[in-house]
Amino acid sequence: MQIIQNRRTFLAGLTAAGGAQLFNIRPSKAAREPPPETTSVRLGRWIDGSYCWASLYLAGELMRADGLTDVRYVQGDTNVDNTEWLTAGVTDFDFNMPSMHIRSIESGASIKILTGVHTGCWELRGNDSVNGIADLKGKRVGIWAFNDHPHVFLSLMINYVGLDPVHEIEWVLGISPMQDFIEGKVDAFLAGITELPGLRAKKIGHTIISNAVDRPWSQYYCCMVAGRTDYVDKYPAATKRILRAILKSIDFCASDPASAARELVDRGFLPSYDLALITLKEAQHDRWRGYDSEDSVRFYALRMQETGMIKSSPQQIIAQGTDWRFLDDLKHELKL
């Protein structure tokens, strides 16, 4: 297989040859780099889905083609946020919201944020009594659990408009916030990307804010990659290959969502082609080429500091918990 030299040729080859040919593409400069110090890596996987992890799922075969022959997708404890899989050493790399990575860094976890992936995973839906985030004062807001990523994200948005998310919001716990909304038990809830088509088609509530289009949230990543510090430091050549595979996979998701969705389903990562395609079309996978990953960490760390979730400054979080060396090299290689 010819070594692909740039993004445009890579994407054109994928589109012309079809999704299956994705797994025959070798990264452009790996053959001239030191061999990976390890051939093993553990990546997270939710067995029942997690559609916004599409690029992580598709990157595995690119990693294998690049010398990481033992790529394992593992699922940790489903009763905790998946960032805890990373901090507990169950996985080596993790996809999550910057807020969850930052919270781990604040707690002393030895992880490094490496790059952003995309934005556009969430939409706040409300009933007729809610026309803006400020209208949530005194309202019932549905969540799955306290301190998980939807609750944290909502709290940041609420604090941003001057409300106290602890004392001025009535948080309502439920197995399905969407169903609680339909039954009138809550006034608003945060809808995930795969829920949006059904909500829109049935006209269930209306959009209060979308992090795909509404500032400032649309200007920053909602999914970022972090790795265990000991893996990143001990295996830099392997880490660069892993990150390269993820970035190329992100490009594939952006350029040919239909083929990417088919690969995700055919390879057993996701159960629904339609939901996979919707996710790939709704999420902004092309943003990694224009957004500044460090700026996203800075923005979320500042919001979390203002909300009282962390004590560290954004500068301290960036210094302690980020490593942009690999991204900077790959941006040059991939002709950003």
Side-chain angles (χ1 to χ4, degrees), residues 122 144 176-178 189-200 275:
W122 301 105
W144 303 320
S176 172
M178 179 176 69
F189 74 104
L190 196 63
I193 197 168
T194 57
E195 297 173 311
L196 298 179
L199 293 170
R200 294 167 182 166
L275 289 181

Side-chain angles (χ1 to χ4, degrees), residues 15 17 52 74 89 96 117 137 210 217 221 227 237 256 287 299:
T15 303
C52 62
V74 297
N96 213 323
V117 179
K137 183 177 181 179
S210 164
W217 311 100
Y221 291 113
D256 192 353
R287 299 291 175 89
F299 173 81

